[in-house]
Amino acid sequence: MSKDKIKSLDVRDQCRMKLPIWYGSRDNYLHGFREVLANASDEITNNFDSGIIDVRLSDDRKLMSVFDSGRGIPITGETDGVKNYELLFLRLFSGTNYDNLENGKVTTGTNGSGVCILNYTSKLFVVDSYINSKHSKLVFKNGGELDGEKFNTDANIKHGTCITFELDDEVYTNTTYNVDDVKDILNSLAGSNEKLTINFEYADENITYHYDSIEDYLIENSINTITNTHSFSQKDYNVDNELNMISCSWNVSTEPFQQTYLNYTYLKDNGAIYDGFIDGMRKVFSKESKSKFTTTDIEMSFGFVISVLSTNVEYANQTKFSTNKQLYKKLVSDYIVSNMEIYKAENPQEFDKIVKHLQTINQFNTKAESSIKNIKKKLSEKQTIFNKIPNLIDCKEKDVAKRILCICEGKSALSSILDGKTDSHGVFPLRGKILNCLKASEDKMFNSDVIVGLLSSLGADVAHNKKGGIKVVFPQDSLRFSKIYIMVDFDFDGIGSILPLLLTVFYKLAPQLINEGRIYLCETPKYEIVMNKTEEDLVAFYDEDLEKLKETLKDGTYTMHYIKGLAELSSKSIKMCLSGEYNNTKLLTMNDIEKSVKELELWMGNDVIKRKDYIMNNFDGGDIIE
């Protein structure tokens, strides 16, 4: 077949093969759930004064059901000669939200593609619709194949829609829902929309989420506040027939809670609405106090929940995590300025109190800026005039997406890894003791040669965080490796000490890399077996693997080597481990690393009583003595 043959994908393949175009990544398994939830919210918001959404998650955390008390989705009948359910669930860009400018609807969905993509990327997708006490049902399997249908049977439910689905593990990298993530999504939606009461059921848990206002939501999530929470009433802006309705609640806090919403969708990556709030507050307080407050000063001081409802909604992309629409920034900035001027006139003493707080924060940040400059200098100093970083053995591969940094335990393993690595693998041997970052100060962490060398190897930069400290960031254009393989001896020192200490470095200083799914534990074989006649090399990672292997080698003679550490591995075994063909690399999630950090805290923290209780409850006297 010609390499240049033109190929056209059908709708199913457009959704399955090109999922990252729609959802940003195959890792974004939560997005389909968000789409179904958004449709349920839109239905209630635009047609009822209040409504209920019931969410149920199966015990194995794979099957999700979302019911809304709306009018029921019209899956019977046809539109322009095409079955409604085909338009809704089997075609991209088919929906009812293309005329929102004319009909004044406020919706999350605009493209008419979300649930269609979810259907094609699910192994099971079921729609139950209830209209006027009549039940209609569709069952799709294997990514959009219609497996059953029935229409207009009698039902006890008057109206509503239930969508049940199980993601296809051939499409997504993960299909098991994290319960805490689901709860966060539900709580956030309820916090932005007082019309909704959301019930969540999983195993023995039954939780209800409802807030009477965004002010209640902000109060619930605020800690260490300096002022009372204040709300600005909704204001409508009509620009070129586009209606935008803005409302906001805010307070001043030493640990500000900040969330922005567009059509009840939480913009976790912020964008124009967030920027508008910061810009408006900075204008007001800089003008009134004659101080040059920075964006960082405002970010570190104000907690807020701000909601924009738009009839011409515009997100940065299909994932709906941000918006770049500059009209939103301008309107929100104007809204904040005009309302804060009224607030100043009505609350002069409170206003002055906020000014003094901002001045204190500004002074603190000016000093912190000096610290950031020093750390930036340290990170850059680790590169010599030959553009090399001490300890780092770089790789020849230029494409960052293919570059993998192998962090190994000391010099002893270096020879084997260098012999077995490919041009895509860089190596950073840990030379010197890893600092326990669990309780260490920022100064101590950034004075560690091991930590600064590792961060430099990865292309780190530093900036302010919103709590006044320093955060490590990895801009896409400076990130030097796409994946990190941690390789340690599988003994008490390696797994019990070096690994958790290293993971704590990432947990404290570089959570961005954890959240982006870049950190892996690269397991190495425990046994190497050499066939005496053929000199064929075989490996076993665990004792049970060895026993299975022995069963197949009964008739042959072989020599078995027990591997005590990385240094004893052959270059062939290292090459095999780094090839990615043996399922020996485990992605370390934030949950995995948090468990490791907790264990480190138990064994190396200051709470002696908790450590003693753990030992007494988990070991008998004989075990301890031995």
Side-chain angles (χ1 to χ4, degrees):
M1 186 176 75
S2 170
K3 293 181 180 179
D4 298 321
K5 181 181 179 180
I6 297 173
K7 182 178 180 179
S8 178
L9 300 179
D10 60 22
V11 177
R12 184 177 188 270
D13 284 343
Q14 288 173 29
C15 297
R16 292 173 69 88
M17 295 174 62
K18 299 300 178 182
L19 183 69
I21 294 176
W22 308 106
Y23 287 5
S25 166
R26 295 188 183 279
D27 299 332
N28 188 9
Y29 74 106
L30 286 166
H31 190 71
F33 169 57
R34 288 192 181 98
E35 290 281 359
V36 173
L37 202 61
N39 288 349
S41 173
D42 288 347
E43 169 62 19
I44 292 170
T45 300
N46 286 285
N47 300 290
F48 299 89
D49 293 330
S50 63
I52 293 172
I53 297 177
D54 292 328
V55 177
R56 292 182 177 86
L57 181 62
S58 62
D59 288 351
D60 64 0
R61 296 184 284 123
K62 287 184 173 292
L63 189 69
M64 180 75 76
S65 289
V66 179
F67 171 85
D68 71 75
S69 60
R71 297 166 299 171
I73 194 166
I75 59 177
T76 60
E78 297 182 351
T79 299
D80 297 329
V82 182
K83 292 180 179 179
N84 284 344
Y85 72 75
E86 181 179 334
L87 291 170
L88 292 169
F89 305 116
L90 297 171
R91 288 196 184 184
L92 295 171
F93 302 109
S94 296
T96 61
N97 297 330
Y98 296 118
D99 301 316
N100 289 357
L101 276 173
E102 287 77 21
N103 59 36
K105 285 172 66 177
V106 170
T107 62
T108 299
T110 57
N111 295 329
S113 299
V115 291
C116 171
I117 297 165
L118 179 62
N119 181 19
Y120 280 123
T121 58
S122 296
K123 62 172 62 174
L124 176 68
F125 185 89
V126 180
V127 183
D128 290 282
S129 177
Y130 303 89
I131 301 175
N132 297 324
S133 300
K134 293 292 185 180
H135 176 210
S136 297
K137 185 183 188 77
L138 297 169
V139 179
F140 297 93
K141 291 184 178 179
N142 303 319
E145 296 177 5
L146 185 61
D147 189 61
E149 60 180 44
K150 67 176 182 179
F151 300 112
N152 296 319
T153 60
D154 291 337
N156 295 324
I157 300 173
K158 186 174 181 181
H159 53 79
T161 300
C162 183
I163 293 183
T164 302
F165 54 93
E166 182 176 352
L167 301 178
D168 192 336
D169 50 19
E170 291 184 3
V171 180
Y172 297 89
T173 57
N174 175 46
T175 58
T176 303
Y177 286 94
N178 181 296
V179 177
D180 289 336
D181 288 340
V182 173
K183 290 177 181 177
D184 287 344
I185 291 169
L186 299 180
N187 189 47
S188 177
L189 176 59
S192 70
N193 192 339
E194 68 276 6
K195 288 187 176 184
L196 302 179
T197 298
I198 303 175
N199 301 307
F200 176 56
E201 182 180 325
Y202 164 69
D204 295 329
E205 290 188 271
N206 287 278
I207 304 172
T208 297
Y209 301 96
H210 173 79
Y211 297 90
D212 290 331
S213 64
I214 58 174
E215 180 175 333
D216 287 348
Y217 180 57
L218 177 58
I219 292 172
E220 177 75 21
N221 289 281
S222 294
I223 57 174
N224 297 331
T225 54
I226 295 170
T227 67
N228 292 328
T229 298
H230 189 84
S231 292
F232 295 149
S233 58
Q234 179 178 301
K235 185 172 181 179
D236 298 351
Y237 295 84
N238 202 321
V239 180
D240 297 330
N241 270 346
E242 175 182 336
L243 180 62
N244 289 286
M245 298 158 277
I246 304 173
S247 55
C248 175
S249 291
W250 61 273
N251 54 34
V252 177
S253 169
T254 57
E255 297 185 54
F257 176 82
Q258 301 168 342
Q259 288 192 352
T260 56
Y261 292 87
L262 177 58
N263 286 10
Y264 305 115
T265 298
Y266 170 44
L267 306 177
K268 76 178 188 69
D269 293 339
N270 298 321
I273 296 172
Y274 180 95
D275 295 342
F277 178 92
I278 301 299
D279 181 66
M281 287 295 188
R282 189 177 57 79
K283 284 178 180 176
V284 170
F285 285 96
S286 294
K287 175 185 175 183
E288 296 297 334
S289 66
K290 295 184 171 59
S291 299
K292 291 185 178 179
F293 295 125
T294 66
T295 294
T296 303
D297 298 336
I298 302 299
E299 287 180 329
M300 286 176 56
S301 301
F302 285 93
F304 58 89
V305 175
I306 184 163
S307 172
V308 174
L309 304 178
S310 176
T311 57
N312 190 24
V313 65
E314 188 176 302
Y315 300 99
N317 49 47
Q318 180 67 20
T319 59
K320 303 182 177 77
F321 289 157
S322 180
T323 178
N324 298 325
K325 189 171 179 176
Q326 292 306 295
L327 176 62
Y328 297 150
K329 178 179 178 180
K330 180 184 182 305
L331 295 181
V332 170
S333 180
D334 292 346
Y335 170 83
I336 293 299
V337 169
S338 61
N339 277 285
M340 281 307 298
E341 287 174 348
I342 296 171
Y343 175 82
K344 180 197 173 187
E346 294 178 347
N347 306 275
Q349 292 181 332
E350 279 288 306
F351 190 90
D352 289 342
K353 183 179 178 181
I354 297 172
V355 170
K356 290 178 181 177
H357 173 77
L358 285 170
Q359 289 170 337
T360 301
I361 293 296
N362 179 261
Q363 292 170 2
F364 175 85
N365 285 336
T366 300
K367 293 179 182 178
E369 193 64 39
S370 174
S371 297
I372 287 179
K373 288 179 180 177
N374 289 335
I375 295 170
K376 283 177 178 284
K377 186 179 179 182
K378 280 186 178 182
L379 290 172
S380 61
E381 280 177 347
K382 289 298 174 182
Q383 301 185 37
T384 70
I385 57 174
F386 301 105
N387 199 32
K388 290 185 178 180
I389 299 170
N391 291 354
L392 173 66
I393 300 163
D394 214 339
C395 57
K396 295 179 181 179
E397 176 62 57
K398 300 301 181 185
D399 185 354
V400 173
K402 297 177 182 178
R403 288 166 59 95
I404 300 172
L405 181 64
C406 302
I407 304 174
C408 67
E409 183 182 338
K411 295 180 181 178
S412 58
L414 193 55
S415 178
S416 296
I417 292 177
L418 289 178
D419 288 340
K421 83 179 191 70
T422 70
D423 288 346
S424 297
H425 296 92
V427 184
F428 187 86
L430 294 170
R431 296 173 180 176
K433 183 180 178 182
I434 305 171
L435 176 69
N436 181 1
C437 292
L438 200 60
K439 304 292 183 181
S441 65
E442 284 182 347
D443 287 344
K444 196 167 184 180
M445 287 188 281
F446 288 114
N447 278 326
S448 165
D449 287 340
V450 174
I451 290 174
V452 173
L454 177 57
L455 294 176
S456 299
S457 301
L458 293 167
D461 196 359
V462 288
H464 284 289
N465 65 27
K466 292 179 182 178
K467 294 184 178 180
I470 297 169
K471 66 177 178 180
V472 178
V473 293
F474 296 89
Q476 283 296 125
D477 57 353
S478 66
L479 187 67
R480 303 187 70 248
F481 295 89
S482 65
K483 290 182 180 179
I484 300 160
Y485 283 1
I486 298 175
M487 306 176 73
V488 296
D489 293 343
F490 274 64
D491 57 15
F492 180 79
D493 191 44
I495 293 295
S497 177
I498 294 173
L499 178 61
L501 284 170
L502 188 56
L503 293 180
T504 306
V505 173
F506 289 113
Y507 179 75
K508 293 282 284 189
L509 292 176
Q512 176 186 341
L513 299 178
I514 303 170
N515 292 325
E516 290 178 355
R518 300 188 184 277
I519 301 178
Y520 294 77
L521 177 62
C522 183
E523 296 183 314
T524 53
K526 190 174 179 180
Y527 302 96
E528 286 182 339
I529 299 99
V530 179
M531 302 301 296
N532 293 341
K533 290 184 179 180
T534 62
E535 295 188 356
E536 179 186 4
D537 293 333
L538 302 172
V539 298
F541 284 86
Y542 307 104
D543 290 340
E544 52 267 32
D545 295 337
L546 179 64
E547 294 306 315
K548 290 179 182 178
L549 198 56
K550 284 180 177 179
E551 290 295 319
T552 64
L553 301 175
K554 282 182 178 179
D555 298 330
T557 58
Y558 55 87
T559 303
M560 185 181 71
H561 301 286
Y562 172 71
I563 308 300
K564 296 178 182 178
L566 294 174
E568 297 185 11
L569 280 169
S570 67
S571 58
K572 287 184 179 180
S573 293
I574 290 288
K575 187 173 183 179
M576 182 208 73
C577 290
L578 297 179
S579 69
E581 298 177 7
Y582 290 86
N583 199 30
N584 63 303
T585 54
K586 177 188 177 185
L587 175 65
L588 297 177
T589 66
M590 185 61 79
N591 284 341
D592 296 326
I593 293 177
E594 283 176 345
K595 289 178 183 177
S596 182
V597 171
K598 285 180 181 177
E599 290 180 6
L600 183 69
E601 188 168 20
L602 174 66
W603 294 110
M604 305 183 74
N606 297 324
D607 195 336
V608 178
I609 295 176
K610 187 181 291 186
R611 181 158 53 246
K612 180 181 176 182
D613 288 345
Y614 182 85
I615 292 172
M616 296 303 293
N617 290 329
N618 290 275
F619 303 97
D620 62 37
D623 289 337
I624 296 174
I625 292 170
E626 290 175 0

